Structures are given as structure tokens and as C-alpha cells.
Amino acid sequence: MNPESVNDDLAAIEQVVATVERTQRAKDPEGFLALFHPDALWTTGHGKVLIGFDAIAEFTRAVLPKASWDGDVTYEVVHTQFLRADVAAVKVRQVYHSAADGDSAGAPLYVMTKQADGGWLLHVCQNTEVKE
């Protein structure tokens, strides 16, 4: 991988994570679902395993719009490891901010795959709640 393409890929990956943040804040299931590969696998922060886009979509459409948090959430890429030129493991720091309940944190791991058009999609995701 040449340094210029790595920088382009890192920027594209960070844009996907920024879109995760934006769609979570807006409680926008369709915007969030647009980030997933059709063969995606997702394990929620509470351990629910969702295999395939249809399962992820059903869960997201039912849960995200009714989420009880106030919508102030941040996502930050803390480490990206390219497993191959078209596969990246992305460690994220997720913080839900709540004036009433205090902050709660998550430590998602996203395995992302580069598509033929150069874009990156979420392919395998594990969201882990951080207990402090």
C-alpha cells in the first residue's frame, strides 16, 4: 500500500465513523443502515448477535428511533489496522453523554471492507460496553 492511498483510505474510514456518529445522533436508521455491507455481522453492546443485513435492519429500525438517550453521542477512531489493502480493523471510542445519568462508554470494533467503488462499509462489528 502506498502512503497516499493509505491516507485516502484512512480519511474514508474516518468519514464512515463520522457518519455513524451523525446517524446515531439523529436516530436515523436508514442513514445508519447505508453504512453496512449486505453480508454484515453485528453484535450489539448487550450481546445480541445480528447476522446479515436484514437482521441488522430489523433491529435498527425497531430500536434506534426509540432510543432513550438524549442524542448526544461521540465516536472517535482511536486505531486503524489494515489487515489487507481492502480490509481494516477499526477501534472506536464511543461516548453517550447524558446530563441525567452521566456518560457511558463503548469500545466498538469495526471490520470494514473496501468496495469496488473505493468506499468502505461496515462488515463485522462488535460493540462492547465499557464498565468503569
Side-chain angles (χ1 to χ4, degrees):
M1 295 179 62
N2 74 48
E4 186 174 311
S5 69
V6 169
N7 287 338
D8 290 346
D9 287 332
L10 288 170
I13 288 167
E14 288 191 9
Q15 185 58 48
V16 170
V17 174
T19 304
V20 169
E21 178 181 301
R22 180 183 52 75
T23 59
Q24 291 291 302
R25 283 180 178 226
K27 299 180 184 179
D28 172 12
E30 300 312 314
F32 181 66
L33 291 169
L35 302 172
F36 283 88
H37 188 277
D39 295 327
L41 167 70
W42 181 27
T43 303
T44 71
H46 296 101
K48 184 170 182 69
V49 178
L50 305 167
I51 299 172
F53 181 83
D54 290 343
I56 294 167
E58 180 180 355
F59 176 84
T60 300
R61 289 177 180 136
V63 173
L64 186 56
K66 297 186 269 182
S68 61
W69 51 274
D70 62 15
D72 190 13
V73 61
T74 56
Y75 287 75
E76 174 190 7
V77 174
V78 294
H79 181 75
T80 300
Q81 178 72 45
F82 288 97
L83 307 176
R84 296 187 334 206
D86 62 342
V87 179
V90 182
K91 197 64 188 162
V92 174
R93 182 172 189 269
Q94 167 195 60
V95 180
Y96 287 93
H97 306 279
S98 172
D101 301 322
D103 292 351
S104 62
L109 173 63
Y110 301 151
V111 177
M112 298 175 66
T113 52
K114 188 173 186 177
Q115 306 307 294
D117 66 1
W120 288 83
L121 292 176
L122 301 169
H123 208 124
V124 178
C125 304
Q126 169 75 46
N127 194 1
T128 305
E129 183 179 3
V130 175
K131 299 275 189 178
E132 306 233 5

